[in-house]
Amino acid sequence: MIELYDHPFSGNCCKIRLALSHLGVDYSRVKVDVFGGEQHSEGFEPINPARKIPVLSDDGFVIWESNAILFFSREEVRP
Ligand SMILES: N[C@@H](CCC(=O)N[C@@H](CS)C(=O)NCC(=O)O)C(=O)O
């Protein structure tokens, strides 16, 4: 199961959604209230210690930094 931690107004998240859609990858979105500071909560720290979105979780494998996520999402790289 693939989850994208994102926010609708984030350009870095938008590019991940565009890529996943282009690649036909099934995923669900987890909205992080960045305007309310949810990325600084204790619950978010283990997801991304850098406290930023986007973050992609693929069956427990967690990756952040939008360009790294784009690289990981390519068909030839994904397990
Ligand atoms: N270099 C990072 C930048 C990530 C980034 O700045 N994300 C913003 C949303 S677009 C964020 O999480 N901002 C919340 C904060 O900085 O507290 C990437 O490309 O993923």
Side-chain angles (χ1 to χ4, degrees), residues 6-78:
D6 81 342
H7 189 282
F9 296 160
S10 158
N12 286 312
C13 294
C14 180
K15 71 187 187 189
I16 304 304
R17 293 196 301 274
L18 288 171
L20 294 178
S21 162
H22 177 73
L23 293 166
V25 173
D26 259 347
Y27 70 101
S28 57
R29 294 170 66 181
V30 180
K31 186 176 175 184
V32 178
D33 178 12
V34 284
F35 295 109
E38 190 181 348
Q39 72 277 24
H40 298 294
S41 67
E42 276 185 25
F44 192 74
E45 196 201 0
I47 296 165
N48 181 1
R51 299 178 184 277
K52 305 261 187 208
I53 53 169
V55 179
L56 192 88
S57 170
D58 183 355
D59 274 330
F61 175 76
V62 179
I63 184 167
W64 59 86
E65 276 296 326
S66 57
N67 288 338
I69 296 171
L70 287 179
F71 185 82
F72 172 75
S73 300
R74 295 180 312 153
E75 286 165 81
E76 59 270 34
V77 175
R78 257 184 295 132

